[in-house]
Amino acid sequence: MTDIGRASAVALLGVTGRLVEVEAHLTSQLPAFRIIGLPDTSLGEARERVRSAAANAGCPLPARRITVNLTPAAVPKRGSGFDLAIAMAVLAGAGAAPRTSARTVYVGELGLDGRTRPVVGIIPMLLAARDAGAERVVVPAGNLDEARIVQGIAVAGVDSLRAAAIDAGATLPPVEVEPVRVAVGPLDPADRPEPELAEVVGNAIGVRAVLAAAAGGHHVLMLGPPGAGKTMLAERLPGVLPDLTDEAALEVASIRSVAGHGARSWTRRPPWEAPHHSASAVALIGGGSGVIRPGAVSRATHGVLFLDEAPEFPRAVLDALRQPLESGRIAVHRSAGAVEFPARCQVVLAANPCPCGHAGVAHGTPCECSASTVRRYLARLSGPLLDRIDIRVQIPRVTTAAVRAADDRAPTTAEARAVVLAARDRASTRLRGTGWTRNADVAGTWLRRDGTGAPGSTKAIDRALDLGTITMRGWDRIMRLAWTLADLAEADRPTAEHVQDALALRSAL
């Protein structure tokens, strides 16, 4: 006698999901339980979790040979999120539960006591199920709040395998169980109070750099001595950025879901990531020997990645940022396959002018670093990396004279955000129909055709290009920044003054 039960699940690779059919074949041979279809070690152990969970749920598995196949077999399957689907397929094949609809997907881990436990990555899993035509997804109760973020598909939460079987139509009396407690992590940076830009005093060039970066989506390098306010300025950039669009917020939520943020995955504010300079390339870019996880550059998508003390990072780690800075995507290749993560974030680098931090400071402690030491220190920021940074400014140390000489206070965060939003609206209106929304994203061909500046406005950078002091990529980035400065000034096109200002904002290093 043979019986076959089926259920649907989702295999997640990075932030991309694929619908998987779970087939359970039961035969009247010697009792055994085998899972095939490229399972990893964690998934291979599901047979013990499913057997114990079924027994404690009041619907024990029959003493028969059980073979579970995960189709398509060529797709790697990882993690414990297949437990619930495997259990439902086996129970359907054994006749302990009705056969489930192909349009219902099961996601969740099982405990030995039969309770369901939440899993990471629930948002991209639901998106994959919805896009594949599924109508309903059954998830652990601990994932229910996070799952409700995804629109266009019905979601049901169950606290145990028994509840899932009853939900499918099994004639079992319901039993109340103590739900699995969902661990709540520390307060997410996106949920913390935003620092106030008006607290910045006597640093007009830094505030101007922050406004220009926020308005155009540009990358920034701030070079200055310790205590000049580089970190203070960088921390205020996310607060100046506009709220995320629906599409951007869902992309951010998918990444945060895979990273294990749980119910905190959804946010309308741009994310903020600030890894320590001891971070490895895998921590920054993403990867892992087992499950491939997004790195800091991906978790900062549509937000800010801040690298404080940038020259202290290993040069190879910094140079790994070249591809995402240019393309807004990062491809991670491992033996299990290739995963592509979004990485369209704004990178902010902060650096001291030398190892002691006092080179070029007019007053105070004198610098004790030799010229060769200073060159080697700043050379850790490679030329190709710096060429991708639109804004490179010197941040001087603030003195009492500078504070007294300041004509105006810095704008508040709310005022600055309104200015940035107006500039972005001008850019998006101008770029309507091109597929771009920010000046930092436009192609060089657009800058030299539809996006040319006022007549004679590019003479300075044309000459710099001919002399070899800037590259063609540098020419494009200066013009993108000039467009942003024109938008902030409510000008129709960049003038020679805007181009000169953009060149001045790119003068450091």
Side-chain angles (χ1 to χ4, degrees):
M1 180 178 69
T2 63
D3 293 289
I4 294 181
R6 291 183 174 86
S8 296
V10 178
L12 194 62
L13 189 59
V15 291
T16 304
R18 181 166 180 176
L19 206 62
V20 171
E21 184 181 16
V22 181
E23 302 173 307
H25 184 209
L26 285 73
T27 62
S28 55
Q29 300 178 13
L30 291 176
F33 197 142
R34 187 183 180 197
I35 300 175
I36 58 176
L38 285 186
D40 69 344
T41 302
S42 176
L43 180 49
E45 293 171 348
R47 57 182 180 270
E48 305 301 335
R49 293 193 296 272
V50 169
R51 192 184 295 279
S52 296
N56 286 299
C59 41
L61 303 184
R64 299 167 64 182
R65 182 179 182 85
I66 302 171
T67 302
V68 174
N69 181 40
L70 308 176
T71 305
V75 176
K77 292 90 179 175
R78 299 180 177 277
S80 56
F82 292 86
D83 289 3
L84 188 57
I86 291 173
M88 293 303 297
V90 173
L91 292 178
R99 299 186 185 276
T100 61
S101 169
R103 295 183 178 274
T104 299
V105 176
Y106 291 90
V107 175
E109 178 184 335
L110 291 175
L112 298 183
D113 57 359
R115 294 185 297 173
T116 56
R117 298 180 178 274
V119 295
V120 299
I122 203 73
I123 292 177
M125 287 183 185
L126 263 68
L127 291 173
R130 184 192 66 185
D131 295 343
E135 297 177 350
R136 189 168 180 266
V137 179
V138 179
V139 302
N143 284 128
L144 190 56
D145 289 340
E146 184 182 4
R148 285 175 175 152
I149 293 171
V150 181
Q151 303 296 315
I153 190 169
V155 180
V158 294
D159 54 15
S160 66
L161 174 59
R162 187 185 186 93
I166 295 172
D167 176 79
T171 55
L172 295 171
V175 175
E176 185 176 350
V177 299
E178 182 181 354
V180 175
R181 296 184 178 222
V182 181
V184 179
L187 186 63
D188 191 88
D191 300 327
R192 292 177 181 146
E194 293 175 334
E196 179 54 60
L197 184 62
E199 295 173 356
V200 178
V201 180
N203 208 330
I205 183 65
V207 173
R208 180 170 172 78
V210 167
L211 286 177
H218 305 286
H219 307 303
V220 185
L221 165 66
M222 292 183 285
L223 186 70
K230 304 184 296 295
T231 301
M232 184 179 188
L233 287 164
E235 289 175 342
R236 280 146 182 79
L237 176 56
V240 176
L241 295 175
D243 286 343
L244 301 177
T245 63
D246 291 343
E247 183 180 358
L250 189 57
E251 187 172 44
V252 169
S254 295
I255 298 170
R256 288 158 60 91
S257 178
V258 171
H261 286 259
R264 296 182 184 272
S265 295
W266 180 261
T267 178
R268 280 288 185 182
R269 296 301 301 143
W272 161 268
E273 290 288 331
H276 189 261
H277 57 73
S278 62
S280 65
V282 171
L284 193 64
I285 299 301
S289 57
V291 179
I292 301 177
R293 298 292 187 194
V297 69
S298 295
R299 296 195 302 272
T301 292
H302 299 296
V304 178
L305 173 65
F306 177 49
L307 303 183
D308 199 5
E309 306 292 347
E312 299 296 337
F313 282 79
R315 179 164 176 166
V317 174
L318 290 175
D319 283 343
L321 288 173
R322 294 186 195 177
Q323 178 195 350
L325 285 186
E326 195 71 22
S327 65
R329 310 288 297 180
I330 183 68
V332 180
H333 292 262
R334 295 291 185 269
S335 59
V339 175
E340 188 175 77
F341 291 111
R344 191 166 298 281
C345 64
Q346 289 183 246
V347 175
V348 179
L349 307 177
N352 293 326
C354 66
C356 76
H358 301 296
V361 179
H363 306 285
T365 306
C367 176
E368 300 179 353
C369 304
S370 65
S372 60
T373 300
V374 174
R375 284 196 302 271
R376 284 197 303 270
Y377 182 74
L378 294 179
R380 298 177 187 176
L381 304 175
S382 66
L385 175 63
L386 289 176
D387 203 30
R388 290 165 166 83
I389 305 297
D390 301 351
I391 300 175
R392 307 198 299 246
V393 292
Q394 295 268 3
I395 305 295
R397 184 172 289 166
V398 179
T399 63
T400 54
V403 174
R404 289 170 184 163
D407 296 330
D408 300 307
R409 65 170 177 81
T412 66
T413 297
E415 292 170 346
R417 190 185 300 174
V419 171
V420 167
L421 188 57
R424 287 206 176 194
D425 286 342
R426 290 178 65 88
S428 60
T429 300
R430 179 176 61 250
L431 298 172
R432 185 177 294 128
T434 64
W436 305 307
T437 58
R438 306 181 307 173
N439 291 321
D441 300 329
V442 301
T445 52
W446 182 87
L447 292 169
R448 288 178 285 279
R449 292 178 185 172
D450 299 334
T452 56
S457 60
T458 62
K459 283 183 179 179
I461 57 176
D462 289 343
R463 180 170 176 75
L465 180 62
D466 292 337
L467 293 175
T469 55
I470 64 173
T471 64
M472 194 69 238
R473 180 193 287 124
W475 191 99
D476 290 345
R477 290 189 176 276
I478 291 170
M479 280 306 298
R480 291 167 184 157
L481 181 54
W483 268 109
T484 298
L485 297 178
D487 288 334
L488 287 170
E490 299 183 1
D492 293 333
R493 282 184 179 275
T495 63
E497 182 181 358
H498 295 133
V499 175
Q500 289 285 2
D501 287 347
L503 195 56
L505 284 173
R506 194 181 163 85
S507 60
L509 293 182

